Amino acid sequence: MAGMAELEHFCGYGGKHLNTIRYHPLQAETLIYTAAATIIVEDVNDPHKQEFLHGHDNEVSALDISANGKLVASGQLGSPGRKGAVAPVVVWDFDNRQKYTEFGGLSHSVLCVKFSPDGRFLVATGGNQMIFVWDVSTAEVVYSRRTESPCSLAVWGPILENPSGGRYPSYQLCTTYDSQVLVHVMSFDIKSMCYSLSSDAVQFPPTTAGDMCIFSLQSKMFRAALPVCNNGVTSLTQAGDVLYAGGGDGRIKALHGHDAHWDVLAENVLESGVVALTASSDGAELVAGCRNGKLFRLLSSDLTATLQAATHTDEVTSVAFGASSDCVCTASKAGEVFLLDLSDYMPIMAAAGKSSARSVVLTLTTGEILAGYDDGQLRAWSMQRGSGARPLWELQAHRGGVTVVRETPDFIVTGGNDCAVRFWHRTTRELLATFTNHRKPVADLLVDQAVPHHVHSGSEDKLVVTYDLKLNKPLVQHFTQHSNITGLSQRKDRDKEVVSSSLDGKILFWDVDYADPRGCIEGPPGSMLRLRCVEVSPSGRYIVAGAEDARLYIFDLSSCSCIQECEGHSGGVTHVRWSPDQKQIVSAGKDGCVIIWNFFEIDAAPAAAVRRIAEEAMGPARATSPPCAWSRRLQIYPEHTSP
């Protein structure tokens, strides 16, 4: 038998960028939105139906889809790996699920991308104060200019027929700046045989944040400013003759009117500021994205809202399963703790804290979630549906913040930034023992499966220490010359050896009776891995490790070989966990995303045969496509034995 992982679901909207959610203009149930550097195409009625568009190397900050639904355009923040913080704009062929073309010229960030009504032209603006208009069919630059301030918004107006009857129509384009609105007309010049732009400034009187401003394109005059919300109007969308406005205060209004006269048809207030608003093609529903990472579906008739998804807004720091494989707990640097139902990926409970959450664990006996925070507090939350308003109890555990927490029916053990490992009584929560063997913050803790009163700790000070709580002393202290320890797990065979991951890319195996490691697995040949986490599968045959290169590496212990490399995250993998039934792997990343991978075992076969299985499941183009391909990407190594 051989194991294989497949990307099942992506949780990671985040709510960081404006207007990065779009309904497909022709498919009423298809939603397109961004999650870090990935673009997700999802069925709003079935969260298990997701497809993925990979091609950016930083967060996608702008998104649009052409009116005919054939092309998708996306822009990103400045590339961390390319000189000058280049921010490319990528155009995707939606029907063929592949990259169509890529445009350059912008840097630092792409602020806005927008297709013309006929999909022929694309306008994009960047943080380097540049504005570009490209002909999508020829990839030619139609217009480019550096502006005095960044252009925050660009919108196409109606197409104007050529008055002389020529075959080249004219286009209207509006762009906005800090205190200026420009109206452009893009006309075809028969002398130069190319399009050129003429621009006029629109009168722009002083307004206040939250006003909706109306301009006349014909007279190029300001008409009215209507107060809509507080903290700025962040998103506008239209369905039929109704205009929907979303505000930074979470308010959404349905407006109907013309010129300076508008009536409010419906109104609702969501729990956080609105950053994106889009209407379905049939006009029946809206989807709103909020700054707290949540997506809401709203009926367009009365704006009744229901939660569609909840995601983290910052780096995800911890993942934990309990006894059941049906739900998983995640925590983030923003202080969020979610207990997700893996049947629909909706939160059973959600808790928010002011301090960063660093580690979570689901208790096996008391029905609690234990979370350690940067403020040094250990907090217990209820696992009951809808809970999370207040912790059940709190404990000041460490001075410099709690980095890791584990528990048994008899005790709780915590590690902290103060380099200490502390044991607490499970029911009275009294301090039982403190050990200060480490010289750097504790990276991970492991309660021994064979001897529950033994606990192992690892740290980037290159130490793996084993403690005996009954004897109240450290039993053994392992030291490595080059391996900064980042994660711990344990084998199910071979004397229950402790498994550690390290920043030099090695997975080491430790026996409490020996000072030196008893075995070592290294990454694929030629790779310079920096591993951040590791876990042995429930069956004991496989090991999954997460690295700073944003990949997961799955190893088969029967052959000591890397059998698969999984790509999905756009930032380093911070934590990874197997489900108790070994059917899924859940990974967390610095990109703020949580990815659920399905894991299954197939009959042993050469690598080529395994590739053929992947091709049958996903299609040849998807299984062998380059990193910018649409859908899942799997890389399966040929068999090799690590030294």
Side-chain angles (χ1 to χ4, degrees), residues 469-482:
L469 185 57
K470 285 186 176 180
L471 299 177
N472 196 25
K473 69 175 185 178
L475 282 182
V476 63
Q477 184 168 289
H478 302 284
F479 176 75
T480 63
Q481 288 287 349
H482 307 290

Side-chain angles (χ1 to χ4, degrees), residues 63-125:
L63 183 71
D64 194 37
I65 184 169
S66 61
N68 60 7
K70 300 290 186 181
L71 298 173
V72 174
S74 57
Q76 67 169 66
L77 299 182
S79 171
R82 299 169 66 176
K83 186 177 180 180
V86 173
V89 173
V90 180
V91 179
W92 306 91
D93 186 331
F94 187 86
D95 292 335
N96 294 320
R97 307 300 197 258
Q98 64 184 12
K99 180 179 176 180
Y100 181 74
T101 189
E102 180 178 318
F103 297 116
L106 302 178
S107 60
H108 305 302
S109 67
V110 177
L111 303 178
C112 173
V113 291
K114 197 71 176 178
F115 283 105
S116 62
D118 58 3
R120 179 179 176 183
F121 298 102
L122 177 69
V123 60
T125 66

Side-chain angles (χ1 to χ4, degrees), residues 347-370:
I348 298 172
M349 67 80 65
K354 296 181 179 180
S355 180
S356 299
R358 292 296 175 179
S359 180
V360 291
V361 63
L362 274 65
T363 63
L364 300 178
T365 56
T366 60
E368 297 173 335
I369 299 172
L370 303 183

Side-chain angles (χ1 to χ4, degrees), residues 15 42 76 97 103 129 209 227 233 284 287 296 336 346 359 383 387 400 535 541 564 568 584 587 594:
E42 180 179 306
Q76 67 169 66
R97 307 300 197 258
F103 297 116
Q129 301 176 210
V233 179
V287 167
F296 291 90
E336 304 143 339
M346 295 292 288
S359 180
M383 295 173 58
S387 62
E535 190 175 44
R541 176 171 177 177
Q564 189 176 350
Q584 290 185 315
S587 61
V594 175

Side-chain angles (χ1 to χ4, degrees), residues 231-453:
N231 204 21
V233 179
T234 54
S235 186
L236 293 171
T237 190
Q238 187 175 0
D241 58 354
V242 179
L243 181 68
Y244 298 91
D249 58 354
R251 194 176 304 274
I252 297 178
K253 287 186 177 181
L255 306 166
H256 181 269
H258 177 71
D259 199 22
H261 305 285
W262 293 81
D263 298 319
V264 178
L265 304 180
E267 182 177 347
N268 197 357
V269 180
L270 303 181
E271 58 189 57
S272 183
V274 177
V275 294
L277 196 61
T278 181
S280 61
S281 60
D282 57 8
E285 287 189 341
L286 305 170
V287 167
C290 296
R291 290 195 184 278
N292 63 356
K294 294 184 178 180
L295 297 176
F296 291 90
R297 292 175 70 177
L298 301 96
L299 294 176
S300 57
S301 56
D302 58 3
L303 296 184
T304 301
T306 57
L307 183 64
Q308 174 72 9
T311 62
H312 291 289
T313 58
D314 207 336
E315 173 185 329
V316 184
T317 54
S318 185
V319 178
F321 276 96
S324 171
S325 299
D326 297 331
C327 58
V328 65
C329 187
T330 58
S332 79
K333 197 175 177 180
E336 304 143 339
V337 175
F338 293 156
L339 182 63
L340 298 177
D341 187 333
L342 290 179
S343 64
D344 57 8
Y345 308 107
M346 295 292 288
I348 298 172
M349 67 80 65
K354 296 181 179 180
S355 180
S356 299
R358 292 296 175 179
S359 180
V360 291
V361 63
L362 274 65
T363 63
L364 300 178
T365 56
T366 60
E368 297 173 335
I369 299 172
L370 303 183
Y373 293 82
D374 271 356
D375 60 4
Q377 293 279 343
L378 177 64
R379 296 181 174 92
W381 304 91
S382 172
M383 295 173 58
Q384 296 299 317
R385 185 173 294 275
S387 62
R390 285 187 176 183
L392 299 175
W393 52 264
E394 293 179 299
L395 173 68
Q396 184 65 40
H398 292 270
R399 291 194 305 272
V402 180
T403 57
V404 59
V405 57
R406 299 289 180 260
E407 70 93 33
T408 74
D410 299 319
F411 62 84
I412 300 170
V413 56
T414 60
N417 278 321
D418 55 5
C419 308
V421 174
R422 292 196 170 105
F423 290 83
W424 311 83
H425 193 280
R426 186 64 188 83
T427 54
T428 65
R429 297 186 287 279
E430 294 179 357
L431 181 63
L432 301 177
T434 298
F435 300 100
T436 56
N437 296 68
H438 291 291
R439 300 184 302 276
K440 287 189 176 182
V442 180
D444 205 357
L445 292 169
L446 174 71
V447 178
D448 197 278
Q449 300 168 3
V451 187
H453 58 273

